[in-house]
């Protein structure tokens, strides 16, 4: 089989406060995160958003120690996976490739080439597929493969999503059971699954399977858990004025409190590692929302991190992928190539939603032009004496 490698894909996160702004710039430069009709507008808009959000984001990272633990935890997962594969009789190297911060995917690929890996399993650390997470990384890798003859010699396979795998479900159920067993009235606790959200248009107009997979995943976890508790699924981390997947986590917590729920247990469903969205958004922001709404007991299930059942399941996924027929990027990404344009990318006359979106985009272009002129000191407004 030759030298075997496993590439773990994740988002990445700023490790110190000075990393926050460039991390945000990389994030919003990705067209899978913010889709624009004019590609030339992507980087100016990313610069503007990252500049405006940097201070607030830095304050949030200060609350969790000044940086994200995501790299450290992902590297611990990589080490644990390599050890488990070795215990199973496989001599495999495991690499970490982050989308928006070090170690970047390109850095991992360079090391894979130096190590002369001939068989590669590409495993995103996102249990459910979304075009904005796994899809973004696969698209980047597909481009790297197309441009590099050396990479084309590597026999690779992709694992698109794996939320239905029994070991993952068992690990999640085990973490929830551990927390429930510490509660005074475990059967009374309302289990609240909070998933990272995506814009509603990703599902409606791009065919993103993420919502369906998340809903399916929560049902399977509850079946595996086999407890009588009621449960809710909601979505967090929305950004901007557009509609995201609903219900929103903060609103759903308030609604449950108004219905009389007193004991709430948050389960981070789309995250396998602790990071800003669990440590700050859930543990601090949503805890405050819950307490103000009248929730008396707020519990939170930890992320999987290096849970041994989870690590063993990742090893099973790798072994199965090595035995199965290869799955290439084109097979995974082909559906995206037939997706319709976003509604806001199709022009319509009249007082329509799309017209409003386009007016907003034109206003944003004008604003960016104004910022550029203020910085450079040159432009039409200076010419006519308005600046």
């Amino acid at each position: 089989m030759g030298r075997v490698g496993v590439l773990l894909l994740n988002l990445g996160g700023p490790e110190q406060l000075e990393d926050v702004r460039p991390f945000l710039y990389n994030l919003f430069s990705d067209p899978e995160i913010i889709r624009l009709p004019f590609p030339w507008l992507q980087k100016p808009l990313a610069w503007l958003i990252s500049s405006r959000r940097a201070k607030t984001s830095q304050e949030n990272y200060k609350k969790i120690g000044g940086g994200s633990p995501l790299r450290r935890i992902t590297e611990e997962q990589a080490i644990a996976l390599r050890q488990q594969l070795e215990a199973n009789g496989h001599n495999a190297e495991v690499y970490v490739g982050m989308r928006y911060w070090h170690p970047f995917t390109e850095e991992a690929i360079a090391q894979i080439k130096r190590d002369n890996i001939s068989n590669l399993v590409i495993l995103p650390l996102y249990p459910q597929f979304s075009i904005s997470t796994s899809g973004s990384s696969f698209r980047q890798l597909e481009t790297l493969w197309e441009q590099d003859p050396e990479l084309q010699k590597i026999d690779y396979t992709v694992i698109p999503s794996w939320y239905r795998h029994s070991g993952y479900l068992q690990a999640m159920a085990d973490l929830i059971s551990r927390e429930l067993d510490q509660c005074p009235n475990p059967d009374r606790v309302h289990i609240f699954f909070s998933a990272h959200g995506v814009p509603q248009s990703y599902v409606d107009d791009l065919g993103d399977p993420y919502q369906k997979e998340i809903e399916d995943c929560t049902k399977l976890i509850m079946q595996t858990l086999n407890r009588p508790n009621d449960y809710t699924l909601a979505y967090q981390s929305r950004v901007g004025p557009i509609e995201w997947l609903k219900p929103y986590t903060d609103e759903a917590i308030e609604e449950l409190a108004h219905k009389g729920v007193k004991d709430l247990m948050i389960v981070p469903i789309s995250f396998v590692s602790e990071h800003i969205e669990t440590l700050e958004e859930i543990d601090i922001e949503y805890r405050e929302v819950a307490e103000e709404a009248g929730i008396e007991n707020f519990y939170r299930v930890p992320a999987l991190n290096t849970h041994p059942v989870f690590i063993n399941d990742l090893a099973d996924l790798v072994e199965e992928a090595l035995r199965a027929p290869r799955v290439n990027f084109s097979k995974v990404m082909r559906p995206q190539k037939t997706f319709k344009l976003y509604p806001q990318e199709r022009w319509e006359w009249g007082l329509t939603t799309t017209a409003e979106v386009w007016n907003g985009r034109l206003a944003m272009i004008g604003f960016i032009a104004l910022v550029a002129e203020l910085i450079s000191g040159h432009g039409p407004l200076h010419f006519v004496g308005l600046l």
Side-chain angles (χ1 to χ4, degrees):
M1 184 176 288
R3 299 202 68 187
V4 174
V6 181
L7 175 58
L8 299 180
L9 302 175
N10 212 328
L11 216 68
E15 297 172 68
Q16 47 194 356
L17 295 180
E18 51 263 42
D19 299 337
V20 170
R21 183 179 170 190
F23 166 77
L24 292 175
Y25 175 80
N26 293 337
L27 176 69
F28 292 112
S29 292
D30 184 356
E32 302 295 353
I33 300 297
I34 297 180
R35 289 180 171 238
L36 299 172
F38 311 113
W40 55 265
L41 189 56
Q42 194 80 43
K43 291 189 181 300
L45 184 59
W47 176 86
L48 180 64
I49 296 174
S50 61
S51 299
R52 294 185 63 185
R53 292 175 61 90
K55 186 174 182 181
T56 300
S57 292
Q58 285 175 337
E59 291 302 316
N60 289 336
Y61 278 104
K62 285 180 182 177
K63 296 176 186 177
I64 63 169
S68 172
L70 189 60
R71 176 175 182 169
R72 172 182 57 79
I73 294 172
T74 307
E75 290 178 343
E76 290 172 356
Q77 290 169 332
I79 293 170
L81 174 57
R82 180 178 57 78
Q83 292 173 343
Q84 184 62 55
L85 287 169
E86 186 176 313
N88 294 354
H90 300 281
N91 182 20
E93 294 294 332
V94 182
Y95 306 87
V96 171
M98 300 294 194
R99 187 67 179 92
Y100 306 116
W101 201 244
H102 300 284
F104 289 112
T105 306
E106 298 91 332
E107 298 175 53
I109 291 296
Q111 187 61 52
I112 287 169
K113 288 165 60 177
R114 286 194 293 269
D115 290 346
N116 294 315
I117 296 298
S118 54
N119 287 272
L120 182 67
V121 176
I122 299 173
L123 174 57
L125 289 175
Y126 313 110
Q128 308 83 15
F129 179 89
S130 172
I131 59 174
S132 61
T133 53
S134 303
S136 176
S137 290
F138 293 162
R139 190 179 294 279
Q140 180 196 27
L141 286 166
E142 185 178 30
T143 300
L144 292 175
W145 246 259
E146 289 172 351
Q147 297 173 349
D148 191 337
E150 286 188 56
L151 288 177
Q152 294 167 18
K153 299 175 184 177
I154 298 177
D155 188 11
Y156 76 88
T157 190
V158 173
I159 303 176
S161 70
W162 40 271
Y163 70 93
R164 298 182 66 88
H165 222 243
S166 60
Y168 163 72
L169 296 171
Q170 188 58 56
M172 290 295 297
D174 180 60
L175 287 174
I176 297 170
S177 288
R178 289 185 190 181
E179 295 301 314
L180 285 174
D181 290 343
Q182 298 179 39
C183 300
N185 300 290
D187 291 349
R188 197 178 73 178
V189 176
H190 192 101
I191 298 174
F192 190 106
F193 293 95
S194 188
H196 186 91
V198 300
Q200 185 68 47
S201 59
Y202 279 38
V203 176
D204 294 343
D205 299 289
L206 298 179
D208 194 337
Y210 177 71
Q211 183 179 23
K212 180 180 181 301
E213 292 194 3
I214 283 286
E215 291 174 354
D216 190 29
C217 182
T218 57
K219 292 175 184 177
L220 291 170
I221 291 173
M222 290 302 298
Q223 290 173 11
T224 306
L225 181 64
N226 194 27
R227 296 258 194 156
N229 304 72
D230 292 331
Y231 75 97
T232 294
L233 168 64
Y235 299 89
Q236 66 181 87
S237 309
R238 67 186 186 274
V239 179
I242 62 173
E243 183 177 353
W244 285 54
L245 294 181
K246 291 182 178 179
Y248 300 140
T249 293
D250 52 349
E251 295 177 359
I253 290 174
E254 292 173 342
E255 183 178 347
L256 287 172
H258 294 159
K259 290 180 178 179
V261 171
K262 297 299 181 183
D263 302 284
L264 193 70
M265 180 170 291
I266 306 290
V267 182
I269 182 61
S270 51
F271 319 113
V272 299
S273 310
E274 302 291 359
H275 64 304
I276 188 72
E277 293 176 41
T278 59
L279 299 173
E280 196 280 329
E281 193 170 0
I282 293 178
D283 289 353
I284 299 176
E285 293 183 30
Y286 292 144
R287 179 183 292 274
E288 291 178 0
V289 170
E291 291 175 350
E292 290 176 4
I295 299 292
E296 295 177 359
N297 297 301
F298 184 92
Y299 308 102
R300 206 264 284 179
V301 173
L304 288 164
N305 294 334
T306 55
H307 189 293
V309 176
F310 170 56
I311 296 299
N312 187 65
D313 194 56
L314 291 182
D316 288 345
L317 280 165
V318 171
E319 292 173 337
E320 290 173 12
L322 289 170
R323 293 192 300 266
R326 295 297 190 251
V327 177
N328 58 30
F329 298 119
S330 61
K331 184 174 182 179
V332 177
M333 304 302 290
R334 187 179 298 117
Q336 292 193 53
K337 296 176 182 177
T338 61
F339 286 153
K340 299 180 295 183
L341 291 173
Y342 284 96
Q344 63 265 33
E345 293 176 1
R346 296 193 299 269
W347 176 257
E348 294 178 8
W349 291 99
L351 298 175
T352 64
T353 301
T354 55
E356 291 180 11
V357 173
W358 271 89
N359 289 337
R361 284 180 168 174
L362 292 173
M364 180 63 75
I365 293 171
F367 180 69
I368 292 173
L370 174 61
V371 171
E373 185 165 343
L374 287 170
I375 293 172
S376 67
H378 300 285
L381 296 179
H382 282 82
F383 179 76
V384 297
L386 293 177
L387 287 177

